[in-house]
Amino acid sequence: MSMRKPIIIGNWKMNGSMAFAKEFVSELNTLITSKACDIAICPPATLLNTLAEALKNTNIALGAQNVHFEEKGAFTGEISTGMLKECGVKYVILGHSERRKYFADSNADICKKVKSTIAANLIPVLCVGESLKEREEGNTEIHLHTELQECLQGIQHPENIIIAYEPLWAIGTGKTATPQEANETIGFIRRELAKIFSEEIAQKIRILYGGSMNAQNAKSLLDMPEIDGGLIGGVSLIVKDFVSVINSNN
Ligand code: PEP
């Protein structure tokens, strides 16, 4: 049994509305029975205030899906760490594969964002993961090595960072890594973290699995010793299924 407390993070992506958010939280809060894990919801930025209000007096934390690395200035369309903090945000997803693919977030950008996020006392949830081609050609480890090196270069206080291992071929596809595959790859990520930081830090950092996690497969994934929780996309919008994932941490 590891010392790391599991965390389940829901990523709503570009979905939801104010009415949906309020309804979702009141239902979620009555259905959660597990106290064994931390929980967070990451809605679109326009719903942060609505959710912050709805999550008061619950054990559910608020997260954002992205941030800009500068504190303020002429960056049309962007949001800073200070702005997120003002909304009551605790976690910030960084380097999600959709950001990398559609918005060209590079490892160098993501590294700057990780640094700004830590400097603001927010918790980065850094996403990494290989493509199907890389997995099939045996290049998973080299991909993850590079991504971790480049996204975590020069990080001073890594203790609270969360890593989400999200194989690209499993995101939104209904294909999940087997618990053994996910456990093995997360073990590799932990060994890389030990090389970048130290063994002690690597043992503290929570590493999540993400990619088509659902009510049916969550328990077998979350029971694996290296897997410290889940980053949940599609299923985080279905309250009963999201609760099943949370409650499988019992
Ligand atoms: C994600 O986008 O982080 C994710 C894991 O999505 P899904 O659960 O829908 O595969």
Side-chain angles (χ1 to χ4, degrees):
M1 197 55 192
S2 97
M3 308 271 293
R4 301 175 295 268
K5 187 174 186 191
I7 179 166
I8 301 294
I9 303 177
N11 171 15
W12 283 5
K13 312 192 180 187
M14 198 171 71
N15 296 291
S17 66
M18 288 187 189
F20 173 85
K22 287 179 199 164
E23 174 79 24
F24 187 95
V25 171
S26 67
E27 231 181 303
L28 180 63
N29 210 28
T30 59
L31 294 172
I32 293 172
T33 55
S34 174
K35 289 205 175 0
C37 68
D38 291 333
I39 306 164
I41 299 177
C42 305
T46 52
L47 296 178
L48 287 172
N49 273 319
T50 307
L51 268 181
E53 188 60 34
L55 294 177
K56 269 185 196 159
N57 306 316
T58 73
N59 291 321
I60 306 160
L62 188 60
Q65 298 174 13
N66 185 29
V67 76
H68 194 268
F69 46 81
E70 294 288 352
E71 276 173 37
K72 62 179 176 152
F75 300 101
T76 301
E78 295 294 316
I79 295 175
S80 71
T81 53
M83 295 168 185
L84 293 181
K85 276 183 83 149
E86 209 174 18
C87 290
V89 163
K90 180 167 180 186
Y91 301 97
V92 187
I93 298 173
L94 294 173
H96 189 278
S97 65
E98 287 147 21
R99 296 287 326 164
R100 294 175 187 264
K101 181 174 171 193
Y102 302 124
F103 306 102
D105 281 15
S106 66
N107 286 339
D109 293 333
I110 294 161
C111 184
K112 289 187 205 163
K113 294 177 182 200
V114 172
K115 285 179 181 151
S116 303
T117 299
I118 294 173
N121 275 321
L122 294 166
I123 300 179
V125 181
L126 169 65
C127 303
V128 295
E130 80 288 358
S131 66
L132 182 58
K133 186 163 183 284
E134 286 168 319
R135 172 142 303 248
E136 285 174 350
E137 291 176 356
N139 291 326
T140 297
E141 294 193 351
I142 185 68
H143 173 94
L144 292 171
H145 170 81
T146 307
E147 218 161 33
L148 290 165
Q149 287 285 334
E150 294 184 2
C151 294
L152 295 174
Q153 194 167 26
I155 302 293
Q156 295 295 334
H157 295 288
E159 304 76 32
N160 294 326
I161 291 181
I162 295 173
I163 308 285
Y165 167 57
E166 301 210 306
L168 304 191
W169 45 272
I171 299 179
T173 57
K175 266 194 196 175
T176 337
T178 64
Q180 292 71 22
E181 261 173 338
N183 192 63
E184 207 171 283
T185 310
I186 289 177
F188 170 78
I189 292 173
R190 202 176 301 287
R191 292 194 295 281
E192 289 292 300
L193 294 175
K195 286 186 213 156
I196 296 170
F197 301 120
S198 68
E199 182 59 33
E200 197 192 342
I201 299 278
Q203 288 304 325
K204 281 190 185 150
I205 292 180
R206 293 186 282 190
I207 311 179
L208 318 183
Y209 169 77
S212 300
M213 201 190 266
N214 59 35
Q216 287 71 43
N217 62 28
K219 188 159 172 45
S220 61
L221 287 156
L222 296 168
D223 278 350
M224 299 306 282
E226 293 288 352
I227 304 182
D228 303 319
L231 181 54
I232 322 292
V235 161
S236 74
L237 291 156
I238 307 166
V239 72
K240 289 197 170 57
D241 291 5
F242 189 50
V243 163
S244 296
V245 172
I246 291 167
N247 288 343
S248 48
N249 282 288
N250 275 323

